[in-house]
Amino acid sequence: MRLSTVRVTDDQTAAARQEGEELVLLPYPDLGALLTAGDDWQERAAFAGGERLPLAEASLAPLVPHPNKIICLGLNYATHIREMGRPTPVHPTLFAKYDGSLIGAHDAIHMPPVSDDLDWEAELGVVVGHRGRHVPRERALEFVAGYTVANDVTVRDWQHRTREFLSGKTFEATTPVGPALVTADELPPGASGLTISCAVDGHTMQKSSTADLLFDVAGIIAYVSTVITLLPGDLILTGTPGGVGAGRDPKVFLRPGQELVTTVEGIGELRNTVVKDRL
Ligand code: ZN
């Protein structure tokens, strides 16, 4: 099953189920509300029916617009660890974002007026489906609702201003997530072995496989749930492979007007244009 959050008016969204080339609106204000409605969310999503609209005409909102948590992994592919000149981590590197950074699958990426170092990071996204604390690795995948595509677009110079990544990682309207949540039953366990790629104006910049994750999805769920209770709708970004702009010689960064396309095999693609944000 493929689920999304769509804009139905200027200030209202709805959860939706994809059926072929149509979206069926569900009686929940967004995907997060559907996932938190109960542990039977999958039945609710499959059998609820409502207004239909053509997928091609839909305005996609961030997949889960207001997750309780957005947890991101840094340094989780060997190729990216190498290009950033960092040692292989013993423990997952975690950082967070706020929901103000999230945008929809086709929304503009806002390039902040204070930086020219806007960089791409194609990532596999995980959406949590059930509440869990101290989840053992062997059961971890039962807590996943499904998988999505994200780009952890980073303001690289602000990321490196201090030891904490946060300021470079949570700029307003920089992180596309979507176009859909693909439920876990439709993908390989842990969404492993899927091709992940990113292109800027048609030039491929990143291409890798989710099989190369240093800490895999089950391991991430177990680790994070040791720290804090995972809740339905929580979003986890699993890290990016090599090929980011800052890892190139010379470095390359996004310019206004460029189009960033981010793809994960079997899930879909994000297509976002960069616009310069005004002060
Ligand atoms: Zn990242």
Side-chain angles (χ1 to χ4, degrees), residues 72-75 80 95 97 121-123 152-154 156 169 237-240:
C72 309
L73 273 87
L75 308 171
H80 182 56
F95 61 91
K97 284 180 186 282
E121 293 196 358
E123 308 206 4
D152 175 23
V153 172
T154 298
R156 203 61 84 183
K169 292 290 193 177
L237 306 190
T238 56
T240 199

Side-chain angles (χ1 to χ4, degrees), residues 2 16-25 52-56:
R2 303 177 77 89
R17 176 181 74 242
Q18 191 181 329
E19 280 186 11
E21 294 307 305
E22 285 186 323
L23 288 174
V24 181
L25 298 186
R52 288 170 177 265
L53 69 154
L55 180 59

Side-chain angles (χ1 to χ4, degrees), residues 11 23 51 55 63 86 96 125 141 189 196 207 220 255 267:
D11 56 3
L23 288 174
E51 196 187 322
L55 180 59
L63 185 69
R86 304 287 290 266
L141 296 181
I196 178 167
K207 190 165 191 184
I220 295 168
R255 310 300 316 151
I267 301 178

Side-chain angles (χ1 to χ4, degrees), residues 31-56:
L31 181 55
L34 168 67
L35 293 172
T36 50
D39 276 335
D40 60 345
W41 62 264
Q42 204 151 351
E43 287 79 53
R44 293 169 189 254
F47 300 116
E51 196 187 322
R52 288 170 177 265
L53 69 154
L55 180 59

Side-chain angles (χ1 to χ4, degrees), residues 72-174:
C72 309
L73 273 87
L75 308 171
N76 202 21
Y77 286 81
T79 47
H80 182 56
I81 294 164
R82 223 175 294 131
E83 74 184 351
M84 300 308 271
R86 304 287 290 266
T88 302
V90 178
H91 306 292
T93 301
L94 302 184
F95 61 91
K97 284 180 186 282
Y98 297 101
D99 59 6
S101 65
L102 301 179
I103 57 174
H106 305 133
D107 292 347
I109 295 166
H110 287 231
M111 180 174 184
V114 293
S115 173
D116 290 319
D117 293 2
L118 192 67
D119 203 349
W120 52 85
E121 293 196 358
E123 308 206 4
L124 171 72
V126 180
V127 180
V128 173
H130 302 284
R131 182 188 183 92
R133 182 86 205 278
H134 299 302
V135 176
R137 182 188 161 81
E138 311 77 67
R139 291 194 52 216
L141 296 181
E142 297 170 25
F143 291 79
V144 174
Y147 299 92
T148 191
V149 187
N151 201 310
D152 175 23
V153 172
T154 298
V155 182
R156 203 61 84 183
D157 50 342
W158 281 63
Q159 177 192 355
H160 292 136
R161 280 184 163 197
T162 58
R163 285 169 61 94
E164 298 285 344
F165 292 174
L166 178 75
S167 58
K169 292 290 193 177
T170 197
F171 265 82
E172 191 86 3
T174 51

